Amino acid sequence: MESAHSVSVVRAAEHALMARLPEGALMRRAATGLAGQCARLLPRVYGSSVVLLVGSGDNGGDALYAGSFLAARGAAVRALLAGDGVHEGGAAALRAAGGRVHRFTDATADDTDLFDADLIVDGLLGIGGRGGLREPHAALALLAENAPAPVVAVDLPSGVDADTGEVGGVAVRADVTVTFGTHKPGLFVDPGAGRAGRVVFVDIGLAPELPGAAAVRPQAVDVASLLPAPGGDSDKYRRGVLDVRAGSDRYRGAAVLCVGGALRTGVGMVRYGGAQEAVDQVLARWPETVASVHDPQSTTDLAPGRVAAVVIGPGRGTHPSNADELRAVLESDRPVLIDADGLTLLSGSGGSPLADTLRERDGHTLLTPHAGELARLLGVERQDVEARRTEHAARAAEEFGCTVLLKGSTTVIAQPGLPLAVNPTGTPLLATAGTGDVLSGMVGALLAAGLPAYEAAMSGAYLHGRAAHLARDGAPISASDLLDALPLAVKETLRAR
């Protein structure tokens, strides 16, 4: 599990560690790791041209010391200072190693050194930066983005909010980010993650000083440890029975995809009830489904041992009878996943008893909105959710007292009292119709197998993205392609045990 910590926690940990180390030792550790990664990106260090973009803080000091190490190995290193301040020790070290230090001004904006560089190092701002870059930092960031050389960011790209990933204006776009001591949440979550490029972690000895993480990013071994492993005495009921309430006479495909996602993830049994047209298509594609025809006002048996979890909402409709069905499901004690039309019913309910039922229920509840659906639930603008994904997912989890899986360019899972979970396998290939229905069935299967909502969401999102990568053939995939690749994704992940 990769862990990320907030700025305030990192600052406190650095302070505690520096108190036990010789002055400047922590910065030199970081600079040594940074210089090593820079050297790997150069065809050779000797004779190469490296340009440092340097702010007045410690990130600028890291860049200057790293530049001094490269200059000592024969690189031609030039530092461009943004503003009046500079880390004096780092600047002196660079000069002593043969590097040059210049102050950047509008008059030097056309200087071709930046465009002739083999490598550009972003040391403009550190983890305390907020709200995008101002001048002259913004001008340097734009010059770097238009230069042909790869850009290495020190700790995180300047202009990215370290805690949220928000980009409030101009920000550096890095090819590689070398981060120190711990990951920062903004490196996990878009739009910041999209500016970070490949993230390389450098251990500087901070781990003993760090408390619990603000965010985690699971790896294959973590997901493998959570996936249910049927024993010799397993049967379909022990493996979990999932009640799927998706699809309608108008949106029959949602039912087919949701049921398929559950079956391909390994659920013991799917019970499906819906309109005749939807039942016919579900059985035609998945004959192992236990299906019955009923209207949304009917209730599937939720007796113990028969239904372990419920998925409700995809393609189901927003008629008042659907609201009645949702209320009946929420009044049960079974784990419930609510998606699509179910979320629309919740967002339209305001302070009605339906919203109160959600807040007051004791069973595990998981909401799986995309940014637009979450915006409606919270009464905010979609662009605000997309800009600050972690903040809004956490807010919804607190407000509704449940787990929230926010789908999108970065899928995040929030639950009160637990670190934010960020899915590492997401891909734009999933931006096609029906893939969300598949995810609902997948996560529902894991809920039915007994996983808590947070772990089911984290595991399901991981497998969902992994299946998309396995299904790709150079073009966006369909939901059917995703279903075909899903068993391989599960099998591959289980090998990490």
Side-chain angles (χ1 to χ4, degrees), residues 150-164:
V151 177
V152 177
V154 180
D155 217 9
L156 87 162
S158 297
V160 171
D161 188 300
D163 282 340
T164 67

Side-chain angles (χ1 to χ4, degrees), residues 409-438:
S409 58
T410 307
T411 293
V412 299
I413 298 110
Q415 180 174 309
L418 293 175
L420 189 85
V422 182
N423 180 47
T425 63
T427 168
L429 295 170
L430 287 167
T432 57
T435 58
D437 301 331
V438 174

